[in-house]
Amino acid sequence: MALVLACALLLPPIQYVLFSCRCESVTAKAGESFNGLFVSINKYAFLLQNFIDIVDTFWTQSERFGTEIFTETVTKVDFSSRPFKLFMDLRTVLADAVIISTRAVVKRLSFVGSGEGAGGFWNRGISSCAVCDGAALIFKNKPLVVIGGGDSAMEKVYIIHRCDTFRASKIMQQRALSKPKIKLIWNSVVEAYGDENGKGVLGGLKVKNVIVSGDVSDLKISGLFFAIGHEPATKFLDGQLELDEDGYVVTKPGTTKTSVLLYEAVDF
């Protein structure tokens, strides 16, 4: 979006704030907007399989057209009057126009061993994206677990669900149930513990059946992935824009305009 505006010579230099740079299962296509930037890029659409590559490409091309990029988190906003105010830890940005493009973030569970820091295994065996992180060499040919009951959980190895039915679409359920490599564990919750070598990485789960038996079993695994849905990254708006019941920005039908004439970014 910053690149499109910069190429159109709108609001130079554009102050473009990156709220989140985390990749969640991304396959991106780019086309002739990048013509001439690199020899390998021409008027035909191409596929970038490495998300870091495409972010670097966007970044470099945007800067060529005068975009000023701040890699900071917007903590709150004030859209009550113009110029609009965006507050960050190190600065406050004033803007006549704001485009909201924060997308959604993966929901995380909270249980023993799921957090960051001491005693937790987040990013040390526990992750939110089996597609992007599961391909890492540390997980190759290793036992893995996915927690969830929706569509995104239906393509994995062990699937642990707290109920005895899935919310996933019927076709995804059928696909999972028909795969011999996928084992289902129903009515259960978990706690995580470390590896036996003391390397500070995930070693396994204590799996407790909370509905039927109350039994606790031990499951040796190398990776655990959450697949329980997403939530919009709009908490920083704090009532400044109209949101729907799920927290997504409400736009006027047929447009990207919001309740205060800001704009919500959309995928084409």
Side-chain angles (χ1 to χ4, degrees):
M1 188 62 68
L3 174 59
V4 172
L5 294 176
C7 290
L9 299 181
L10 296 175
L11 307 177
I14 299 167
Q15 293 179 315
Y16 180 59
V17 180
L18 297 183
F19 178 78
S20 175
C21 295
R22 176 75 170 109
C23 166
E24 311 256 350
S25 307
V26 173
T27 301
K29 289 184 179 179
E32 59 183 307
S33 293
F34 298 98
N35 185 28
L37 178 58
F38 302 115
V39 175
S40 60
I41 300 176
N42 54 39
K43 64 181 181 180
Y44 298 104
F46 64 95
L47 180 65
L48 290 180
Q49 296 181 342
N50 188 327
F51 183 69
I52 301 301
D53 288 344
I54 198 169
V55 170
D56 289 343
T57 302
F58 286 150
W59 189 299
T60 302
Q61 183 76 334
S62 297
E63 288 183 325
R64 290 180 65 241
F65 286 91
T67 303
E68 185 176 1
I69 301 176
F70 300 144
T71 54
E72 299 179 40
T73 298
V74 178
T75 56
K76 65 177 181 177
V77 297
D78 182 359
F79 296 150
S80 61
S81 62
R82 282 186 166 84
F84 301 128
K85 300 179 180 66
L86 293 86
F87 300 93
M88 291 160 279
D89 292 335
L90 300 179
R91 74 189 84 224
T92 299
V93 172
L94 304 180
D96 293 318
V98 177
I99 298 172
I100 309 293
S101 56
T102 53
R103 300 185 61 190
V105 295
V106 173
K107 292 180 180 179
R108 290 170 54 177
L109 291 174
S110 178
F111 52 82
V112 174
S114 67
E116 304 174 51
F121 304 101
W122 182 255
N123 285 334
R124 295 194 298 275
I126 299 179
S127 171
S128 61
C129 183
V131 176
C132 29
D133 296 336
L137 291 177
I138 60 172
F139 298 131
K140 186 175 182 179
N141 298 321
K142 299 289 182 63
L144 305 176
V145 163
V146 171
I147 294 179
D151 281 355
S152 58
M154 296 293 105
E155 301 174 346
K156 320 306 179 192
V157 184
Y158 284 98
I159 298 177
I160 298 178
H161 191 39
R162 61 184 176 180
C163 304
D164 58 1
T165 58
F166 287 132
R167 293 176 292 104
S169 60
K170 295 298 182 182
I171 189 170
M172 292 300 291
Q173 292 187 45
Q174 185 180 53
R175 182 181 299 175
L177 294 171
S178 65
K179 291 183 178 180
K181 289 187 177 181
I182 292 182
K183 181 178 180 180
L184 306 178
I185 302 176
W186 303 98
N187 303 317
S188 298
V189 297
V190 303
E191 293 183 0
Y193 60 86
D195 66 312
E196 298 175 349
N197 299 323
K199 295 182 179 180
V201 298
L202 180 67
L205 298 175
K206 295 294 184 181
V207 183
K208 181 177 182 179
N209 186 300
V210 293
I211 303 296
V212 180
S213 66
D215 293 342
V216 178
S217 58
D218 185 74
L219 187 61
K220 300 288 186 181
I221 62 167
S222 298
L224 169 63
F225 305 101
F226 296 145
I228 57 173
H230 296 74
E231 58 184 5
T234 54
K235 292 181 180 179
F236 72 102
L237 296 174
D238 193 25
Q240 295 284 316
L241 289 179
E242 181 184 357
L243 307 177
D244 65 18
E245 60 183 8
D246 296 317
Y248 289 93
V249 176
V250 174
T251 57
K252 298 183 183 301
T255 76
T256 58
K257 293 180 179 179
T258 68
S259 57
V260 293
L261 294 181
L262 299 178
Y263 294 88
E264 171 80 352
V266 297
D267 292 328
F268 295 98

